[in-house]
Amino acid sequence: MKNIRNFCIIAHIDHGKSTLADRLLEFTNTIQVTGGQMLDDMDLEKERGITIKSHAIQMEYVYNGEKYVLNLIDTPGHVDFSYEVSRSIAACEGALLIVDASQGVQAQTISNLYMAIEHDLEIIPIINKCDMASANPDEVEDEIVELLGCKRSEIIRASGKTGMGVEEILAAVVERIPHPEGDEEAPLQALIFDSVFNSFRGIIAYFKIVNGVIRKGDKVKFFNTGKEYDADEVGVLKMEMVQRQELRTGDVGYIISGIKTSKEVKVGDTITHIARPCKEAIAGFEEVKPMVFAGVYPIEAEDFEDLRSSLEKLQLNDASLTFQPESSLALGFGFRCGFLGLLHMEIVQERLDREFDMNVITTVPNVSYNIYDKQGHMMEVHNPGSMPDPTMIDRIEEPYIRASVITTTDYIGPIMTLCLGKRGELVKQEYISGNRVEIYYDMPLGEIVIDFYDKLKSISKGYASFDYHASGFRPSKLIKLDILLNGEPVDALSTLTHFDNAYDLGHRMCEKLKDLIPRQQFDIAIQAAIGAKIISRETIKAVRKDVTAKCYGGDVSRKRKLLEKQKKGKKRMKQIGNVEVPQKAFLAVLKLD
């Protein structure tokens, strides 16, 4: 056990952690790198150049004549996938904190670092991309010393591209990171930190053993669900899975036990033996809180069950996704899904399409609100369709977040303007080093959900980094905005919005829908309404055939007769015709600005 090291790599998005991980794997001869990131194996990750999943892999390294086993977990850097990071940290004793030599410490670096410190991990600071012309390692060193309070000699300078500093990193991992603590004689306790679905073997769970030993063929049970299984196969994670006869305390590995239903595997559960169970489950695992809710509906109604099983399989691999069934008048049966953010929502939609061949419609994303009635009862509402009657409502509370934005001083003005436009309140601003400043805002989560991050990136030319955590609910002046087509409300387009923004938003939505809904044989009225009050209207004119073309000369009453006849037909059509809202109309409402 004293020769095992479990560690993860944490950093802000795009600071080169996956590239550095490749160099470590190459140096320890775990793999021959053929180009591209070896750990990011999903097509989506390769295309976008971001890490979406944590990836665990085992390396062997000889140091001073002794052989060490290093278990490395590469983690995502985007704020939407911070739950992956929290799970990886729970399975480690140390972390490599990577900072880009040209960009310095950014928001996600700080929040991932605090997460690691809370779990008492040993932190090894590394400055990456030191080979670049724009690198400024001395200044970045100052920032790290200020942030961590470590010695300058503890900071390693490295480059994922050239392989500089890789040996020092491996030596530091062996020397500084403590080996796992635990008792091999105690009853088995293993923490599940991830799982994947395999269509041949069932569900494969990844775990880290805290106490005890697990052998192939053992009878095991999952502590929280109480379900019992045989361990058909156990092993360690290299580039492929490698079978072993037994895994001991401190090892990270996988177990295959022919589990078929995804509800039985919960991330954060504890595996133990049936004969000698442990007394209690492993603590310190937080439940995920979704931030953004959106309805996901199958395009064909009969695909509802397929969508359910696809979401369940996806949830195994992505534990931060939550969903429950709901129905909509316009779209039929579907699911209300909770996501950690907009990028997360986009990735889930893309993965449903690629991995499960599911074509889905996603409604306008929103957040959850607490609604109090006149009697003081509280109900939680995730979508505007389930709002009670406005006369019954005493007050509505919306979720607020504490946002921290790190930027250079050049962009403070535009960023403050953006935050104020989103109803933000400035809490404080602190200068970190040189010309870099951290601004704290209290903002309603609903304002951030749709386009805040994109706008922040564009006004700061990609420099500003953004991180947030929930800070409770506050009362707010919110109203429900409905969109009516020919007098019928379309529940998938209704939104909850702040009173000040309602008129403007209603007007823009009507204009946008006018461009996107195809013309029919009859007039379509598009209206935005607050309760019974119409605040905006656009009309899509009917497609008309020229019925008077065959009348030439003669009395005007002959033309009049034909036009009247056409008018009656249009009127009858309007009563029975229905309007299809195309999918791109739902998407366009998101990108109104």
Side-chain angles (χ1 to χ4, degrees):
M1 197 164 69
K2 71 178 202 305
N3 286 9
I4 296 176
R5 300 287 183 273
N6 297 325
F7 66 99
C8 60
I9 299 187
I10 56 177
H12 187 79
I13 189 166
D14 232 6
H15 281 200
K17 45 196 172 313
S18 299
T19 314
L20 201 62
D22 287 350
R23 291 294 88 71
L24 294 174
L25 296 176
E26 215 174 23
F27 193 83
T28 55
N29 295 325
T30 309
I31 51 166
Q32 260 54 53
V33 175
T34 49
Q37 257 93 11
M38 298 304 290
L39 288 180
D40 292 354
D41 48 10
M42 275 192 320
D43 294 342
L44 260 177
E45 293 183 314
K46 289 194 173 86
E47 279 167 31
R48 289 171 175 246
I50 55 176
T51 307
I52 295 169
K53 288 288 305 157
S54 306
H55 300 271
I57 189 164
Q58 189 179 81
M59 309 180 277
E60 285 169 1
Y61 179 58
V62 178
Y63 181 68
N64 292 347
E66 261 192 90
K67 191 168 146 193
Y68 290 90
V69 172
L70 312 178
N71 291 311
L72 152 76
I73 302 180
D74 179 27
T75 66
H78 197 281
V79 63
D80 280 12
F81 305 111
S82 52
Y83 187 60
E84 290 284 326
V85 184
S86 75
R87 303 207 313 257
S88 313
I89 285 175
C92 297
E93 280 84 34
L96 305 183
L97 178 77
I98 294 183
V99 181
D100 187 324
S102 54
Q103 297 189 354
V105 173
Q106 293 192 299
Q108 204 49 34
T109 318
I110 296 176
S111 73
N112 286 342
L113 171 71
Y114 287 157
M115 222 186 296
I117 290 174
E118 274 170 34
H119 281 81
D120 291 336
L121 299 198
E122 179 64 40
I123 311 282
I124 299 178
I126 297 166
I127 300 179
N128 196 16
K129 304 191 188 180
C130 285
D131 58 318
M132 285 172 62
S134 61
N136 199 343
D138 297 331
E139 203 172 291
V140 177
E141 247 181 37
D142 295 339
E143 289 179 22
I144 294 176
V145 168
E146 199 169 312
L147 186 68
L148 276 174
C150 60
K151 296 191 185 76
R152 277 180 184 276
S153 55
E154 289 174 15
I155 302 173
I156 300 171
R157 294 189 182 188
S159 160
K161 193 185 280 179
T162 60
M164 149 191 171
V166 171
E167 260 185 274
E168 291 175 50
I169 293 172
L170 287 166
V173 165
V174 172
E175 285 173 1
R176 295 195 218 164
I177 293 177
H179 60 78
E181 302 287 334
D183 182 4
E184 287 196 2
E185 304 306 315
L188 172 70
Q189 260 186 325
L191 173 76
I192 300 178
F193 65 87
D194 206 355
S195 57
V196 298
F197 181 81
N198 183 314
S199 43
F200 305 108
R201 313 292 306 266
I203 290 162
I204 304 170
Y206 298 162
F207 60 82
K208 175 201 175 186
I209 301 181
V210 179
N211 291 312
V213 179
I214 187 168
R215 293 180 179 83
K216 187 176 170 176
D218 277 355
K219 300 246 183 286
V220 296
K221 75 169 182 182
F222 287 5
F223 202 89
N224 289 345
T225 55
K227 293 276 184 6
E228 307 187 345
Y229 308 100
D230 293 344
D232 301 334
E233 183 185 311
V234 294
V236 295
L237 302 157
K238 299 230 169 167
M239 224 36 218
E240 279 79 38
M241 299 183 190
V242 184
Q243 286 200 45
R244 292 283 159 93
Q245 284 307 308
E246 64 170 28
L247 293 175
R248 315 186 75 82
T249 302
D251 280 332
V252 173
Y254 70 91
I255 176 170
I256 299 178
S257 48
I259 306 168
K260 290 287 180 283
T261 50
S262 52
K263 287 200 172 55
E264 296 174 22
V265 181
K266 280 268 187 286
V267 168
D269 204 348
T270 303
I271 307 176
T272 185
H273 282 133
I274 296 174
R276 264 182 80 200
C278 57
K279 299 277 191 298
E280 59 198 24
I282 301 167
F285 215 83
E286 57 194 72
E287 271 296 300
V288 58
K289 295 190 292 289
M291 293 285 187
V292 176
F293 295 88
V296 173
Y297 293 86
I299 287 180
E300 302 297 331
E302 57 267 21
D303 293 344
F304 177 71
E305 282 305 321
D306 295 348
L307 180 60
R308 181 195 293 271
S309 66
S310 305
L311 281 168
E312 280 177 354
K313 286 171 188 165
L314 194 57
Q315 194 178 31
L316 280 173
N317 197 254
D318 181 356
S320 51
L321 173 70
T322 58
F323 63 92
Q324 62 205 47
E326 75 161 3
S327 66
S328 143
L329 294 174
L331 300 169
F333 288 101
F335 293 95
R336 189 87 198 147
C337 299
F339 308 98
L340 294 182
L342 272 199
L343 178 71
H344 185 212
M345 178 173 119
E346 210 176 300
I347 297 290
V348 166
Q349 210 174 336
E350 194 87 342
R351 285 181 72 183
L352 280 173
D353 185 27
R354 293 188 184 197
E355 294 171 30
F356 304 101
D357 221 15
M358 288 300 308
N359 230 336
V360 295
I361 291 179
T362 314
T363 63
V364 183
N366 53 23
V367 296
S368 61
Y369 297 93
N370 289 345
I371 295 181
Y372 291 85
D373 62 14
K374 299 273 166 63
Q375 283 78 42
H377 301 303
M378 197 237 354
M379 65 181 280
E380 198 175 282
V381 171
H382 292 310
N383 64 337
S386 51
M387 283 258 299
D389 189 72
T391 53
M392 308 294 293
I393 299 174
D394 179 44
R395 67 180 192 279
I396 302 178
E397 292 189 346
E398 63 175 336
Y400 263 70
I401 57 165
R402 170 65 57 90
S404 86
V405 178
I406 295 184
T407 174
T408 52
T409 44
D410 315 347
Y411 305 114
I412 291 183
I415 287 175
M416 285 190 161
T417 313
L418 173 70
C419 293
L420 290 171
K422 300 280 184 192
R423 298 192 282 134
E425 296 165 14
L426 180 65
V427 181
K428 60 176 176 179
Q429 74 186 59
E430 292 173 350
Y431 283 84
I432 308 173
S433 66
N435 66 338
R436 310 245 324 273
V437 62
E438 183 168 10
I439 313 173
Y440 292 93
Y441 265 94
D442 277 344
M443 300 168 85
L445 181 61
E447 294 279 339
I448 281 184
V449 160
I450 294 181
D451 57 359
F452 178 80
Y453 195 66
D454 304 345
K455 282 186 170 172
L456 181 72
K457 282 288 176 206
S458 59
I459 58 179
S460 66
K461 304 203 172 99
Y463 272 118
S465 55
F466 169 68
D467 181 49
Y468 62 87
H469 55 264
S471 66
F473 285 78
R474 296 191 192 176
S476 188
K477 199 172 173 187
L478 296 168
I479 46 178
K480 182 182 169 190
L481 180 71
D482 285 316
I483 298 291
L484 314 176
L485 293 181
N486 280 345
E488 291 295 315
V490 183
D491 55 354
L493 287 174
S494 56
T495 50
L496 265 176
T497 178
H498 194 262
F499 183 75
D500 301 342
N501 308 341
Y503 280 82
D504 184 39
L505 181 68
H507 182 62
R508 291 212 314 264
M509 275 169 96
C510 288
E511 281 183 340
K512 196 79 184 171
L513 289 171
K514 185 183 176 182
D515 299 340
L516 292 167
I517 294 176
R519 288 172 72 184
Q520 309 282 349
Q521 298 277 336
F522 50 89
D523 283 2
I524 306 170
I526 306 171
Q527 295 166 312
I530 299 171
K533 183 180 176 190
I534 305 291
I535 57 170
S536 179
R537 169 182 172 129
E538 297 282 339
T539 309
I540 299 175
K541 285 296 181 196
V543 182
R544 296 175 67 135
K545 181 182 169 189
D546 187 1
V547 287
T548 59
K550 62 178 185 283
C551 289
Y552 45 91
D555 191 43
V556 72
S557 59
R558 293 174 59 195
K559 286 188 178 178
R560 177 71 50 234
K561 179 184 152 197
L562 290 168
L563 288 168
E564 288 299 325
K565 190 174 166 192
Q566 183 188 37
K567 205 167 168 186
K568 276 194 187 128
K570 296 282 183 211
K571 190 174 175 185
R572 193 165 64 246
M573 217 183 276
K574 186 172 182 172
Q575 287 165 357
I576 58 169
N578 64 349
V579 185
E580 289 287 313
V581 182
Q583 162 70 9
K584 61 173 187 274
F586 291 110
L587 296 175
V589 172
L590 303 188
K591 301 187 169 72
L592 264 181
D593 295 330

